[in-house]
Coordinates of all heavy atoms in Angstrom, one line a residue:
M212 N -26.0 -13.9 2.8 CA -24.5 -14.3 3.0 C -23.7 -13.7 1.9 O -24.0 -13.6 0.8 CB -24.4 -15.8 2.8 CG -23.1 -16.4 3.0 SD -23.3 -18.2 3.2 CE -21.6 -18.6 2.7
P213 N -22.6 -13.0 2.3 CA -21.7 -12.3 1.4 C -21.1 -13.4 0.4 O -21.0 -14.5 0.7 CB -20.6 -11.7 2.3 CG -20.7 -12.3 3.5 CD -22.1 -13.0 3.7
N214 N -20.6 -12.9 -0.7 CA -19.9 -13.7 -1.7 C -18.7 -14.3 -1.0 O -17.9 -13.7 -0.3 CB -19.5 -13.0 -2.9 CG -20.7 -12.4 -3.7 OD1 -21.7 -13.1 -3.6 ND2 -20.5 -11.4 -4.5
S215 N -18.5 -15.6 -1.2 CA -17.4 -16.3 -0.7 C -16.2 -16.1 -1.6 O -16.3 -16.0 -2.8 CB -17.7 -17.8 -0.6 OG -18.8 -18.1 0.2
P216 N -15.0 -16.0 -1.0 CA -13.8 -15.8 -1.8 C -13.5 -17.1 -2.5 O -13.9 -18.2 -2.1 CB -12.8 -15.5 -0.8 CG -13.2 -16.1 0.5 CD -14.7 -16.0 0.4
T217 N -12.7 -17.1 -3.6 CA -12.2 -18.2 -4.2 C -11.1 -18.8 -3.2 O -10.6 -18.0 -2.3 CB -11.6 -17.9 -5.6 OG1 -10.4 -17.1 -5.4 CG2 -12.5 -17.2 -6.5
P218 N -10.7 -20.0 -3.4 CA -9.6 -20.5 -2.6 C -8.3 -19.7 -2.7 O -7.7 -19.4 -1.7 CB -9.4 -22.0 -3.2 CG -10.7 -22.4 -3.7 CD -11.3 -21.1 -4.2
A219 N -8.0 -19.2 -3.9 CA -6.8 -18.4 -4.0 C -6.9 -17.1 -3.3 O -6.0 -16.6 -2.6 CB -6.5 -18.1 -5.5
E220 N -8.1 -16.4 -3.4 CA -8.4 -15.2 -2.7 C -8.3 -15.4 -1.1 O -7.8 -14.6 -0.4 CB -9.8 -14.6 -3.1 CG -9.8 -14.1 -4.5 CD -11.2 -13.9 -4.9 OE1 -12.2 -14.4 -4.4 OE2 -11.4 -13.1 -5.9
H221 N -8.8 -16.5 -0.7 CA -8.8 -16.8 0.7 C -7.3 -17.0 1.2 O -7.0 -16.5 2.3 CB -9.7 -18.1 1.0 CG -9.7 -18.3 2.6 ND1 -9.0 -19.3 3.1 CD2 -10.4 -17.6 3.5 CE1 -9.3 -19.2 4.5 NE2 -10.1 -18.2 4.7
K222 N -6.6 -17.7 0.5 CA -5.2 -17.9 0.8 C -4.4 -16.6 0.9 O -3.7 -16.3 1.8 CB -4.5 -18.9 -0.2 CG -3.2 -19.4 0.4 CD -2.4 -20.4 -0.5 CE -3.1 -21.1 -1.5 NZ -2.2 -22.0 -2.2
T223 N -4.7 -15.7 0.0 CA -4.1 -14.4 0.0 C -4.6 -13.6 1.2 O -3.8 -12.9 1.8 CB -4.5 -13.6 -1.3 OG1 -4.0 -14.4 -2.4 CG2 -3.9 -12.3 -1.3
A224 N -5.8 -13.7 1.6 CA -6.4 -13.0 2.7 C -5.8 -13.5 4.0 O -5.4 -12.8 4.9 CB -7.9 -13.1 2.7
V225 N -5.6 -14.8 4.2 CA -5.0 -15.4 5.4 C -3.6 -14.9 5.5 O -3.2 -14.5 6.5 CB -5.1 -17.0 5.2 CG1 -4.2 -17.6 6.3 CG2 -6.5 -17.5 5.4
A226 N -2.8 -14.9 4.4 CA -1.5 -14.4 4.4 C -1.4 -12.9 4.9 O -0.6 -12.6 5.7 CB -0.8 -14.5 3.0
A227 N -2.3 -12.1 4.3 CA -2.4 -10.7 4.8 C -2.7 -10.6 6.2 O -2.1 -9.7 6.9 CB -3.4 -10.0 3.9
N228 N -3.6 -11.4 6.7 CA -4.0 -11.3 8.1 C -2.7 -11.8 9.0 O -2.5 -11.2 10.1 CB -5.2 -12.3 8.5 CG -6.4 -11.8 7.8 OD1 -6.5 -10.6 7.4 ND2 -7.4 -12.6 7.7
L229 N -2.0 -12.8 8.6 CA -0.8 -13.2 9.3 C 0.2 -12.1 9.3 O 0.9 -11.9 10.3 CB -0.3 -14.5 8.7 CG -1.0 -15.8 9.0 CD1 -0.5 -16.9 8.3 CD2 -1.0 -16.0 10.5
R230 N 0.4 -11.5 8.2 CA 1.4 -10.4 8.1 C 1.1 -9.3 9.1 O 1.9 -8.7 9.8 CB 1.6 -9.9 6.6 CG 2.3 -10.8 5.7 CD 2.7 -10.1 4.3 NE 1.6 -9.5 3.7 CZ 0.7 -10.2 2.9 NH1 0.9 -11.4 2.6 NH2 -0.3 -9.5 2.3
A231 N -0.3 -8.9 9.1 CA -0.7 -7.8 9.9 C -0.5 -8.2 11.4 O 0.0 -7.4 12.2 CB -2.2 -7.6 9.7
I232 N -0.8 -9.4 11.8 CA -0.7 -9.8 13.2 C 0.8 -9.9 13.6 O 1.2 -9.5 14.6 CB -1.5 -11.0 13.6 CG1 -1.7 -11.1 15.1 CG2 -0.8 -12.3 13.1 CD1 -2.7 -10.1 15.6
C233 N 1.6 -10.3 12.7 CA 3.1 -10.4 13.0 C 3.6 -8.9 13.2 O 4.5 -8.7 14.0 CB 3.8 -11.1 11.9 SG 3.6 -12.9 11.9
A234 N 3.1 -8.0 12.3 CA 3.6 -6.6 12.5 C 3.1 -6.1 13.9 O 3.9 -5.3 14.5 CB 3.0 -5.8 11.4
V235 N 1.9 -6.4 14.3 CA 1.4 -5.8 15.6 C 2.2 -6.5 16.7 O 2.4 -5.9 17.7 CB -0.1 -6.0 15.6 CG1 -0.7 -5.7 17.0 CG2 -0.8 -5.2 14.6
I236 N 2.4 -7.8 16.6 CA 3.1 -8.5 17.7 C 4.5 -8.0 17.8 O 5.0 -7.8 18.9 CB 3.2 -10.0 17.3 CG1 1.8 -10.7 17.5 CG2 4.2 -10.7 18.2 CD1 1.8 -12.1 16.9
G237 N 5.1 -7.6 16.7 CA 6.5 -7.1 16.7 C 7.4 -8.3 16.8 O 7.1 -9.5 16.9
G238 N 8.7 -8.0 16.9 CA 9.8 -9.0 17.0 C 10.1 -9.5 15.6 O 9.4 -9.3 14.7
A239 N 11.2 -10.2 15.5 CA 11.7 -10.7 14.3 C 10.9 -11.9 13.9 O 10.3 -12.7 14.6 CB 13.2 -11.1 14.5
Q240 N 10.8 -12.1 12.5 CA 10.1 -13.2 12.0 C 10.7 -14.5 12.5 O 9.9 -15.5 12.7 CB 10.2 -13.2 10.4 CG 9.4 -14.2 9.8 CD 9.5 -14.0 8.2 OE1 9.5 -12.9 7.7 NE2 9.4 -15.2 7.5
S241 N 11.9 -14.6 12.7 CA 12.6 -15.8 13.2 C 12.1 -16.1 14.7 O 12.0 -17.3 15.0 CB 14.1 -15.7 13.2 OG 14.6 -14.6 13.8
D242 N 11.9 -15.1 15.5 CA 11.5 -15.3 16.9 C 10.0 -15.8 16.8 O 9.6 -16.7 17.6 CB 11.5 -14.0 17.6 CG 12.9 -13.5 17.9 OD1 13.9 -14.4 17.8 OD2 13.1 -12.3 18.0
I243 N 9.1 -15.3 16.0 CA 7.8 -15.7 15.9 C 7.7 -17.2 15.4 O 7.0 -18.0 16.0 CB 6.9 -14.8 15.1 CG1 6.8 -13.4 15.7 CG2 5.5 -15.3 14.8 CD1 6.2 -12.3 14.8
A244 N 8.5 -17.4 14.4 CA 8.6 -18.8 13.9 C 9.0 -19.8 15.0 O 8.4 -20.9 15.2 CB 9.6 -18.9 12.7
A245 N 10.1 -19.4 15.8 CA 10.5 -20.3 16.8 C 9.5 -20.5 17.9 O 9.3 -21.6 18.4 CB 11.8 -19.7 17.4
A246 N 8.7 -19.4 18.1 CA 7.7 -19.5 19.2 C 6.6 -20.5 18.8 O 5.9 -21.0 19.7 CB 7.1 -18.1 19.5
I247 N 6.4 -20.7 17.5 CA 5.2 -21.6 17.1 C 5.8 -22.8 16.5 O 5.1 -23.6 15.9 CB 4.3 -20.8 16.1 CG1 5.0 -20.4 14.8 CG2 3.6 -19.7 16.8 CD1 4.0 -19.9 13.7
G248 N 7.1 -23.1 16.7 CA 7.7 -24.4 16.3 C 7.9 -24.6 14.8 O 7.8 -25.8 14.3
V249 N 8.0 -23.6 14.0 CA 8.3 -23.7 12.6 C 9.5 -23.0 12.1 O 10.1 -22.2 12.8 CB 7.1 -23.3 11.7 CG1 5.8 -24.0 12.1 CG2 6.9 -21.8 11.8
S250 N 10.1 -23.3 10.9 CA 11.2 -22.6 10.4 C 10.8 -21.2 9.9 O 9.6 -21.0 9.6 CB 11.8 -23.4 9.3 OG 11.0 -23.4 8.2
K251 N 11.7 -20.4 9.9 CA 11.5 -19.0 9.3 C 11.1 -19.1 7.9 O 10.2 -18.4 7.4 CB 12.8 -18.2 9.4 CG 12.6 -16.7 9.0 CD 13.9 -16.0 9.1 CE 13.8 -14.6 8.4 NZ 15.0 -13.9 8.4
S252 N 11.6 -20.0 7.1 CA 11.2 -20.2 5.7 C 9.7 -20.7 5.6 O 9.0 -20.2 4.7 CB 12.1 -21.1 4.9 OG 12.1 -22.4 5.4
K253 N 9.3 -21.6 6.5 CA 7.9 -22.0 6.4 C 7.0 -20.9 6.8 O 5.9 -20.7 6.1 CB 7.7 -23.2 7.4 CG 6.3 -23.7 7.4 CD 6.1 -25.0 8.1 CE 6.8 -26.1 7.4 NZ 5.9 -27.1 6.9
L254 N 7.3 -20.1 7.8 CA 6.5 -18.9 8.1 C 6.5 -18.0 7.0 O 5.4 -17.4 6.7 CB 7.0 -18.3 9.4 CG 6.3 -17.0 9.9 CD1 4.8 -17.3 10.1 CD2 7.0 -16.4 11.1
G255 N 7.6 -17.8 6.4 CA 7.7 -16.9 5.1 C 6.7 -17.4 4.0 O 6.1 -16.5 3.4
N256 N 6.6 -18.7 3.8 CA 5.8 -19.3 2.8 C 4.2 -18.9 3.2 O 3.5 -18.5 2.3 CB 5.8 -20.8 2.7 CG 7.1 -21.2 2.1 OD1 7.7 -20.5 1.3 ND2 7.5 -22.4 2.3
W257 N 3.9 -19.0 4.5 CA 2.6 -18.6 4.9 C 2.3 -17.1 4.7 O 1.2 -16.7 4.3 CB 2.4 -19.0 6.3 CG 2.5 -20.5 6.5 CD1 2.5 -21.5 5.6 CD2 2.8 -21.1 7.8 NE1 2.6 -22.7 6.3 CE2 2.9 -22.5 7.6 CE3 2.9 -20.6 9.1 CZ2 3.0 -23.4 8.6 CZ3 3.1 -21.6 10.1 CH2 3.2 -22.9 9.9
L258 N 3.3 -16.3 5.0 CA 3.1 -14.9 5.0 C 3.1 -14.4 3.5 O 2.4 -13.3 3.3 CB 4.3 -14.2 5.7 CG 4.4 -14.4 7.2 CD1 5.7 -13.7 7.7 CD2 3.2 -13.9 8.0
R259 N 3.6 -15.1 2.6 CA 3.5 -14.7 1.2 C 2.3 -15.3 0.6 O 1.9 -14.9 -0.5 CB 4.7 -15.3 0.4 CG 6.0 -14.5 0.6 CD 7.1 -14.9 -0.4 NE 7.3 -16.4 -0.3 CZ 8.1 -17.0 0.6 NH1 8.8 -16.3 1.5 NH2 8.3 -18.3 0.6
G260 N 1.6 -16.3 1.3 CA 0.4 -16.9 0.7 C 0.8 -18.0 -0.2 O -0.1 -18.5 -1.0
D261 N 2.0 -18.6 -0.1 CA 2.3 -19.7 -0.9 C 1.6 -20.9 -0.5 O 1.3 -21.8 -1.3 CB 3.8 -20.0 -0.9 CG 4.6 -18.9 -1.5 OD1 4.1 -18.1 -2.3 OD2 5.9 -18.7 -1.2
N262 N 1.4 -21.1 0.8 CA 0.7 -22.3 1.4 C -0.2 -21.8 2.5 O 0.1 -20.7 3.1 CB 1.7 -23.2 2.0 CG 2.6 -23.8 0.9 OD1 3.8 -23.3 0.8 ND2 2.3 -24.8 0.1
Y263 N -1.2 -22.6 2.8 CA -2.0 -22.3 4.0 C -1.1 -22.7 5.3 O -0.3 -23.6 5.2 CB -3.2 -23.2 4.1 CG -4.4 -22.6 3.3 CD1 -4.9 -23.2 2.2 CD2 -5.0 -21.5 3.9 CE1 -6.0 -22.6 1.6 CE2 -6.1 -20.9 3.2 CZ -6.7 -21.5 2.1 OH -7.7 -21.0 1.5
P264 N -1.3 -22.0 6.3 CA -0.5 -22.3 7.6 C -1.0 -23.6 8.2 O -2.2 -24.0 8.0 CB -0.8 -21.2 8.5 CG -2.0 -20.5 7.9 CD -2.1 -20.8 6.5
D265 N -0.1 -24.3 8.9 CA -0.4 -25.5 9.6 C -1.3 -25.2 10.8 O -1.1 -24.2 11.6 CB 0.9 -26.1 10.2 CG 0.7 -27.2 11.1 OD1 0.5 -28.3 10.5 OD2 0.8 -27.1 12.3
P266 N -2.4 -25.9 10.9 CA -3.4 -25.6 12.0 C -2.8 -25.7 13.4 O -3.1 -24.8 14.2 CB -4.5 -26.7 11.8 CG -4.4 -27.1 10.4 CD -2.9 -27.0 10.0
F267 N -1.9 -26.6 13.7 CA -1.3 -26.7 15.0 C -0.4 -25.5 15.3 O -0.5 -24.9 16.4 CB -0.5 -28.0 15.2 CG 0.0 -28.1 16.6 CD1 -0.9 -28.3 17.7 CD2 1.3 -28.0 16.8 CE1 -0.3 -28.4 19.0 CE2 1.9 -28.1 18.2 CZ 1.1 -28.3 19.2
A268 N 0.3 -25.1 14.3 CA 1.1 -23.9 14.5 C 0.3 -22.6 14.7 O 0.6 -21.8 15.5 CB 2.0 -23.6 13.3
M269 N -0.9 -22.6 14.0 CA -1.8 -21.5 14.2 C -2.4 -21.5 15.7 O -2.6 -20.5 16.3 CB -2.9 -21.4 13.2 CG -2.4 -21.1 11.8 SD -1.5 -19.5 11.7 CE 0.3 -20.0 11.9
W270 N -2.7 -22.7 16.1 CA -3.2 -22.8 17.5 C -2.1 -22.3 18.5 O -2.4 -21.6 19.4 CB -3.5 -24.3 17.8 CG -4.0 -24.6 19.2 CD1 -5.2 -24.4 19.7 CD2 -3.1 -25.0 20.3 NE1 -5.3 -24.7 20.9 CE2 -4.0 -25.1 21.4 CE3 -1.8 -25.3 20.4 CZ2 -3.6 -25.5 22.6 CZ3 -1.4 -25.7 21.7 CH2 -2.3 -25.7 22.8
L271 N -0.8 -22.7 18.2 CA 0.2 -22.2 19.1 C 0.3 -20.7 19.0 O 0.6 -20.0 20.0 CB 1.6 -22.8 18.7 CG 1.8 -24.3 19.0 CD1 3.0 -24.8 18.3 CD2 1.8 -24.5 20.5
L272 N 0.2 -20.1 17.8 CA 0.2 -18.6 17.7 C -0.9 -18.0 18.5 O -0.7 -17.0 19.2 CB 0.0 -18.3 16.2 CG 0.1 -16.7 15.8 CD1 1.5 -16.3 15.9 CD2 -0.5 -16.5 14.5
C273 N -2.1 -18.6 18.5 CA -3.3 -18.1 19.2 C -2.9 -18.2 20.7 O -3.2 -17.2 21.5 CB -4.5 -18.9 18.9 SG -5.1 -18.7 17.2
E274 N -2.4 -19.3 21.2 CA -2.2 -19.5 22.6 C -1.1 -18.5 23.1 O -1.2 -18.0 24.2 CB -1.7 -20.9 22.9 CG -2.9 -22.0 22.7 CD -3.9 -21.8 23.8 OE1 -3.7 -21.7 25.0 OE2 -5.1 -21.6 23.3
R275 N 0.0 -18.4 22.3 CA 1.1 -17.6 22.7 C 0.9 -16.1 22.7 O 1.3 -15.4 23.5 CB 2.3 -17.9 21.8 CG 3.5 -17.0 21.9 CD 4.6 -17.6 22.6 NE 5.7 -16.8 22.6 CZ 6.6 -16.7 23.5 NH1 6.6 -17.6 24.6 NH2 7.6 -15.9 23.5
Y276 N 0.1 -15.6 21.6 CA 0.0 -14.2 21.4 C -1.4 -13.7 21.6 O -1.6 -12.4 21.4 CB 0.5 -13.8 20.1 CG 2.0 -14.1 19.9 CD1 2.4 -15.2 19.1 CD2 3.0 -13.3 20.5 CE1 3.8 -15.4 19.0 CE2 4.3 -13.6 20.3 CZ 4.7 -14.6 19.7 OH 6.1 -14.9 19.5
G277 N -2.4 -14.5 21.9 CA -3.7 -14.0 22.0 C -4.5 -13.7 20.7 O -5.5 -13.2 20.8
V278 N -3.9 -14.3 19.7 CA -4.6 -14.1 18.4 C -5.8 -15.1 18.4 O -5.8 -16.1 19.1 CB -3.6 -14.5 17.2 CG1 -4.2 -14.4 15.9 CG2 -2.4 -13.7 17.4
T279 N -6.8 -14.9 17.5 CA -7.9 -15.8 17.3 C -7.9 -16.4 16.0 O -7.4 -15.8 15.0 CB -9.2 -15.1 17.5 OG1 -9.4 -14.1 16.5 CG2 -9.3 -14.4 18.9
M280 N -8.4 -17.6 15.9 CA -8.5 -18.2 14.6 C -9.5 -17.4 13.7 O -9.3 -17.4 12.4 CB -9.1 -19.7 14.6 CG -8.1 -20.7 15.3 SD -6.7 -21.0 14.2 CE -6.0 -22.4 15.0
D281 N -10.5 -16.8 14.3 CA -11.3 -15.9 13.5 C -10.5 -14.8 12.8 O -10.9 -14.3 11.7 CB -12.4 -15.3 14.4 CG -13.8 -15.9 14.2 OD1 -13.9 -16.9 13.4 OD2 -14.7 -15.4 14.9
W282 N -9.5 -14.3 13.5 CA -8.7 -13.2 12.8 C -7.9 -13.9 11.6 O -7.9 -13.4 10.6 CB -7.7 -12.5 13.7 CG -6.8 -11.7 13.0 CD1 -5.4 -12.1 12.7 CD2 -7.1 -10.5 12.2 NE1 -4.9 -11.1 11.8 CE2 -5.9 -10.2 11.5 CE3 -8.2 -9.7 12.1 CZ2 -5.8 -9.1 10.7 CZ3 -8.1 -8.6 11.3 CH2 -7.0 -8.3 10.6
I283 N -7.2 -15.0 12.0 CA -6.3 -15.6 11.0 C -7.1 -15.9 9.7 O -6.7 -15.6 8.6 CB -5.6 -16.8 11.5 CG1 -4.7 -16.4 12.7 CG2 -4.9 -17.6 10.4 CD1 -4.1 -17.5 13.5
Y284 N -8.2 -16.6 9.9 CA -9.0 -17.2 8.7 C -10.1 -16.4 8.2 O -10.5 -16.6 7.1 CB -9.4 -18.6 9.1 CG -8.2 -19.6 9.2 CD1 -7.8 -19.9 10.4 CD2 -7.6 -20.0 8.0 CE1 -6.7 -20.8 10.5 CE2 -6.5 -20.9 8.2 CZ -6.0 -21.2 9.4 OH -4.9 -22.0 9.5
R285 N -10.6 -15.4 9.0 CA -11.8 -14.7 8.7 C -11.6 -13.2 8.7 O -12.5 -12.4 8.3 CB -13.0 -15.1 9.5 CG -13.3 -16.6 9.4 CD -14.4 -17.1 10.3 NE -15.7 -16.6 9.9 CZ -16.7 -16.7 10.7 NH1 -16.6 -17.1 11.9 NH2 -17.9 -16.2 10.3
G286 N -10.5 -12.7 9.3 CA -10.2 -11.3 9.4 C -11.1 -10.6 10.3 O -11.2 -9.3 10.2
R287 N -11.6 -11.2 11.3 CA -12.5 -10.6 12.4 C -11.8 -10.3 13.6 O -11.1 -11.2 14.2 CB -13.7 -11.5 12.5 CG -14.5 -11.7 11.3 CD -15.8 -12.4 11.6 NE -16.5 -12.4 10.3 CZ -17.6 -13.2 10.1 NH1 -18.0 -14.0 11.1 NH2 -18.2 -13.2 9.0
V288 N -11.8 -9.0 14.0 CA -11.1 -8.7 15.3 C -11.9 -9.0 16.5 O -11.3 -8.9 17.6 CB -10.7 -7.1 15.2 CG1 -9.8 -6.8 14.1 CG2 -11.9 -6.3 15.2
F289 N -13.1 -9.3 16.4 CA -14.0 -9.6 17.6 C -13.3 -10.7 18.4 O -12.8 -11.8 17.8 CB -15.4 -10.1 17.2 CG -16.2 -10.4 18.4 CD1 -16.7 -9.4 19.2 CD2 -16.4 -11.7 18.8 CE1 -17.5 -9.7 20.3 CE2 -17.2 -12.1 19.9 CZ -17.8 -11.1 20.6
G290 N -13.1 -10.6 19.7 CA -12.5 -11.5 20.5 C -11.0 -11.4 20.7 O -10.4 -12.0 21.6
L291 N -10.4 -10.5 20.0 CA -8.9 -10.3 20.2 C -8.7 -9.4 21.4 O -9.6 -8.5 21.7 CB -8.3 -9.5 19.0 CG -8.2 -10.4 17.7 CD1 -7.7 -9.5 16.5 CD2 -7.1 -11.5 17.9
P292 N -7.6 -9.5 22.1 CA -7.3 -8.6 23.2 C -7.2 -7.2 22.6 O -6.9 -7.0 21.4 CB -5.8 -9.1 23.6 CG -5.8 -10.5 23.2 CD -6.6 -10.6 22.0
G293 N -7.5 -6.2 23.4 CA -7.6 -4.9 23.0 C -6.4 -4.3 22.2 O -6.5 -3.7 21.3
H294 N -5.2 -4.6 22.8 CA -4.0 -4.1 22.2 C -3.8 -4.7 20.7 O -3.3 -4.0 19.8 CB -2.7 -4.3 23.0 CG -2.3 -5.8 23.1 ND1 -3.0 -6.7 23.8 CD2 -1.3 -6.4 22.5 CE1 -2.4 -7.9 23.7 NE2 -1.3 -7.7 22.9
L295 N -4.2 -5.9 20.5 CA -4.0 -6.4 19.3 C -5.1 -5.9 18.3 O -4.8 -5.6 17.1 CB -4.2 -8.0 19.2 CG -3.1 -8.7 19.9 CD1 -3.4 -10.3 19.9 CD2 -1.7 -8.5 19.3
A296 N -6.3 -5.8 18.8 CA -7.4 -5.3 17.9 C -7.1 -3.8 17.6 O -7.3 -3.4 16.4 CB -8.8 -5.3 18.7
D297 N -6.7 -3.1 18.5 CA -6.3 -1.6 18.2 C -5.2 -1.5 17.2 O -5.2 -0.7 16.2 CB -5.9 -0.9 19.5 CG -7.1 -0.7 20.5 OD1 -8.2 -0.8 20.0 OD2 -6.8 -0.4 21.6
G298 N -4.2 -2.3 17.3 CA -3.1 -2.3 16.3 C -3.5 -2.7 15.0 O -3.1 -2.1 14.0
L299 N -4.3 -3.7 14.9 CA -4.9 -4.2 13.6 C -5.7 -3.1 13.0 O -5.7 -2.9 11.8 CB -5.6 -5.5 13.7 CG -4.7 -6.7 14.1 CD1 -5.5 -7.9 14.4 CD2 -3.7 -7.1 12.9
K300 N -6.6 -2.5 13.7 CA -7.5 -1.5 13.2 C -6.7 -0.3 12.7 O -7.0 0.2 11.6 CB -8.5 -1.0 14.2 CG -9.6 -2.0 14.6 CD -10.5 -1.5 15.6 CE -11.4 -2.6 16.1 NZ -12.2 -2.2 17.3
A301 N -5.6 0.0 13.3 CA -4.8 1.1 12.9 C -4.1 0.8 11.6 O -3.9 1.6 10.7 CB -3.7 1.5 14.0
R302 N -3.7 -0.5 11.5 CA -2.9 -0.9 10.2 C -4.0 -0.9 9.1 O -3.6 -0.5 7.9 CB -2.3 -2.3 10.4 CG -1.1 -2.3 11.3 CD -0.4 -3.6 11.3 NE 0.0 -4.0 10.0 CZ 1.2 -3.6 9.4 NH1 1.9 -2.7 10.0 NH2 1.5 -4.0 8.2
V303 N -5.2 -1.4 9.3 CA -6.1 -1.5 8.2 C -6.6 -0.1 7.7 O -6.7 0.1 6.6 CB -7.4 -2.4 8.7 CG1 -8.5 -2.3 7.7 CG2 -6.9 -3.8 8.9
S304 N -6.7 0.8 8.7 CA -7.2 2.2 8.3 C -6.1 3.1 7.7 O -6.4 4.1 7.2 CB -7.9 2.9 9.5 OG -6.9 3.1 10.5
A305 N -4.8 2.6 7.9 CA -3.8 3.5 7.4 C -3.6 3.4 5.9 O -4.0 2.6 5.1 CB -2.4 3.0 8.0

């Protein structure tokens, strides 16, 4: 089993995964926030890694945009729709 991250490292990784998926989804941060029922400032807190995202809001993100919880919390592209996986792979390798 690989080394587990610390809680702070995990929160930073989750934030980075959310930023990446928001960039691939496109659109304004305010539009994504509205689509998952949170304020732009709350989404901003999650994208900066200030707080962990709300599980229900992440469920809505998954349902609306085809994201997986495995991507958000574990950084795994398996199971993502092709266009999202390709966009994320391009961002990570850049």
Side-chain angles (χ1 to χ4, degrees):
M212 181 168 154
N214 291 337
S215 297
T217 66
E220 291 168 337
H221 185 253
K222 195 180 335 181
T223 299
V225 168
N228 294 344
L229 285 175
R230 287 191 306 273
I232 201 65
C233 286
V235 171
I236 290 169
Q240 186 175 325
S241 57
D242 294 336
I243 294 170
I247 62 172
V249 299
S250 68
K251 183 180 170 187
S252 64
K253 183 172 287 253
L254 179 59
N256 286 337
W257 300 341
L258 296 174
R259 284 189 307 276
D261 295 341
N262 300 99
Y263 273 114
D265 174 77
F267 183 68
M269 293 302 95
W270 179 82
L271 290 171
L272 184 77
C273 292
E274 290 295 307
R275 170 103 174 152
Y276 296 105
V278 180
T279 63
M280 290 290 194
D281 256 1
W282 169 257
I283 295 167
Y284 292 101
R285 300 171 76 193
R287 296 188 176 167
V288 296
F289 180 77
L291 288 172
H294 71 284
L295 293 177
D297 292 344
L299 291 168
K300 288 176 187 174
R302 289 188 61 77
V303 170
S304 64

